[in-house]
Amino acid sequence: AENLLDNVIDAIIARLPEKRGSRKYDRKRILDDLASIKSVYVPSLYESVYGEAGHFDHIESAAGAPREVRYNICDPIPEAAHSPVVTDRSAFPGRFLLEMSRGCPHRCKFCLASHSAEKFRPAKMAVAAAERGLAATGRIGLIGTAFTRSSQVERICEGASAAGAGVSFSSIRIDRKTLDMLSRFGDTLDIKSIAVAPETASAKLRKVISKDISAELEMFVEERPLPELERLRLYYLIGIPGESAEDVSAIAEEAARIRKKTGWEILISVTPMIPKPHTPMQWMTMAGEKELKKKRNLLKKAVAEHDGVDLKIESIRGAIEQAVLSKGDRRIGRAIMQAAKEKPGRTDLLKEVESCGIRTVDIIGAMGDPERHYPWDVITHGAGSEKLFGEFIRAREASEE
């Protein structure tokens, strides 16, 4: 949004009344003006159309509104976003946070970042921002997707080392370049705990989701480039299409093997796989609550057999709620409002969705028809639906092997 906000603000100001304090303004003209700005979506200018069975059919745009609102990419990112305030009273006490990148060069089939943000884009002027941070604190925190690919990371580590400061990051995508960087700056890095996301311990499922860092994870375990590391958090998915009981048990086995080899405390963090719009997996059928609970219980039993390995599983019902919010149409808004009114702070979203005449299974079930329209079709990201559907077909074929 960075390079669009000035245009949006100017359009609004141009239509405001000259008399200060007056509430007389033409809302419709303001919205029409905003809709004429490239990459600005005005929801009220679009109407959802439903079929006879009550299923979402398509979206119609009002006269003058673009049929598709194409994403805007700020390329390059002119300056790395960073902490404007450093304080011990923040979520990350005394740490200067620096966003190194956006987008992702990898094409994992389940991930929105790699499909909606188009290409990987390192931020500019990150080194200069880090120098300002070092003037305020001795703790620098780097964030971003696949950010270790940025050439500026090593320069920031070098500057921090020269200043006697530490650099940290909460998670990484492991590759050879990252391992070399970790080995070179291990003493500078202020890291006792780090997260890595293998997603699955199954060779077959790695092919399904197009993510395989198994060799790199093995190198990380063998080389142990972070001398201060005490805890490794491993992120996994359950409910991947084609997943078997053996695939689930393999998660515990992989974590136990790493624990035995390194002595690190291992935390397995597990999330049900949620289909997301604008990704190949928007067409997948999400695993049902009964199936996910069965896999959760299987994993709990497998992990309990190993010392030094802990397990955290995200709420299964919460994951289904996320899928409903992710793939639902505008009618979900009514359910959200009703749930908030009924039990403020303790919403039962799925119950309210059903009471609005919307079947949860229709939302999170398969939508494998490439010709079918979706509630988010009005927003166009980098990859077209034809390309995404082709990737989904390849994932489905891999899951059936």
Side-chain angles (χ1 to χ4, degrees):
E2 289 94 327
N3 57 348
L4 291 178
L5 288 177
D6 284 347
N7 294 338
V8 170
I9 294 170
D10 289 343
I12 295 172
I13 291 176
R15 295 293 186 185
L16 293 180
E18 294 183 6
K19 184 178 179 181
R20 181 174 295 180
S22 173
R23 296 188 176 183
K24 294 181 180 180
Y25 60 91
D26 192 332
R27 177 184 177 85
K28 184 179 184 308
R29 292 186 70 182
I30 291 178
L31 294 177
D32 288 343
D33 289 348
L34 292 176
S36 69
I37 302 174
K38 181 183 176 183
S39 300
V40 174
Y41 170 50
V42 181
S44 62
L45 300 182
Y46 300 83
E47 182 179 355
S48 297
V49 179
Y50 300 91
E52 292 183 2
H55 295 158
F56 174 86
D57 189 74
H58 66 281
I59 287 181
E60 290 185 352
S61 57
R67 183 180 177 185
E68 292 183 337
V69 180
R70 187 166 180 79
Y71 74 105
N72 172 71
I73 287 288
C74 185
D75 183 21
I77 302 170
E79 183 178 5
H82 56 271
S83 301
V85 175
V86 177
T87 171
D88 290 335
R89 300 178 66 182
S90 66
F92 300 92
R95 199 176 298 277
F96 179 83
L97 299 182
L98 187 59
E99 185 187 34
M100 297 298 299
S101 65
R102 293 180 198 159
C104 185
H106 307 285
R107 300 288 290 181
C108 305
K109 288 186 171 64
F110 60 91
C111 181
L112 184 61
S114 63
H115 292 88
S116 67
E118 206 182 43
K119 61 184 180 181
F120 174 73
R121 293 165 294 136
K124 302 294 183 182
M125 301 171 61
V127 174
E131 290 172 352
R132 292 199 296 274
L134 288 171
T137 179
R139 307 178 73 190
I140 303 292
L142 306 183
I143 57 178
T145 47
F147 68 88
T148 54
R149 292 176 65 94
S150 170
S151 60
Q152 299 180 88
V153 171
E154 292 196 11
R155 292 172 58 194
I156 290 172
C157 289
E158 289 171 351
S161 178
V167 177
S168 67
F169 27 87
S170 59
S171 63
I172 52 171
R173 169 147 181 155
I174 301 176
D175 54 29
R176 184 67 259 175
K177 180 180 178 182
T178 301
L179 287 169
D180 291 342
M181 186 271 290
L182 295 179
S183 298
R184 182 180 175 190
F185 296 103
D187 295 334
T188 299
L189 298 173
D190 179 20
I191 298 176
K192 293 186 178 181
S193 175
I194 201 166
V196 176
E199 313 298 357
T200 176
S202 160
K204 170 187 172 181
L205 299 185
R206 293 183 194 118
K207 187 176 179 181
V208 173
I209 63 175
S210 294
K211 182 174 182 180
D212 184 357
I213 62 166
S214 55
E216 290 81 359
L217 178 59
E218 189 62 31
M219 286 190 289
F220 180 77
V221 170
E222 291 290 341
E223 297 176 13
R224 301 181 213 178
L226 297 172
E228 301 298 321
L229 191 67
E230 298 173 357
R231 188 186 206 204
L232 177 64
R233 184 169 186 157
L234 297 171
Y235 286 102
Y236 291 96
L237 295 169
I238 57 172
I240 299 173
E243 184 179 56
S244 66
E246 290 74 19
D247 295 329
V248 175
S249 298
I251 294 173
E253 295 166 6
E254 182 169 75
R257 179 182 58 80
I258 295 174
R259 163 68 179 177
K260 184 177 181 180
K261 183 168 288 189
T262 64
W264 295 332
E265 178 186 347
I266 306 296
L267 173 61
I268 302 173
S269 185
V270 175
T271 304
M273 186 169 178
I274 300 168
K276 291 290 183 8
H278 306 294
T279 73
M281 289 306 184
Q282 69 182 19
W283 285 280
M284 72 170 263
T285 297
M286 183 177 177
E289 187 171 7
K290 184 177 180 180
E291 179 185 348
L292 289 171
K293 285 183 176 179
K294 184 178 179 180
K295 291 180 176 182
R296 176 193 64 187
N297 295 339
L298 173 63
L299 188 54
K300 281 184 175 180
K301 184 177 179 180
V303 170
E305 298 176 359
H306 304 288
D307 294 331
V309 179
D310 294 322
L311 175 65
K312 178 183 178 183
I313 300 181
E314 296 297 323
S315 164
I316 289 174
R317 189 170 181 83
I320 295 174
E321 287 182 350
Q322 286 186 50
V324 168
L325 291 170
S326 178
K327 295 182 70 174
D329 57 64
R330 293 185 177 190
R331 294 173 296 177
I332 300 300
R334 296 201 301 270
I336 294 172
M337 291 298 294
Q338 189 59 35
K341 290 177 182 177
E342 291 291 328
K343 297 178 180 179
R346 295 188 304 161
T347 60
D348 189 338
L349 180 61
L350 299 183
K351 179 180 177 182
E352 295 302 336
V353 167
E354 297 283 347
S355 71
C356 288
I358 312 167
R359 296 201 315 158
T360 301
V361 68
D362 290 337
I363 298 176
I364 65 175
M367 295 184 182
D369 181 0
E371 302 300 322
R372 185 170 179 175
H373 296 286
Y374 302 100
W376 52 87
D377 281 349
V378 67
I379 306 296
T380 303
H381 282 288
S385 59
E386 183 177 341
K387 181 179 179 180
L388 292 178
F389 189 75
E391 292 186 39
F392 165 71
I393 294 299
R394 287 190 287 275
R396 187 171 66 183
E397 290 171 349
S399 73
E400 296 170 351
E401 292 179 356

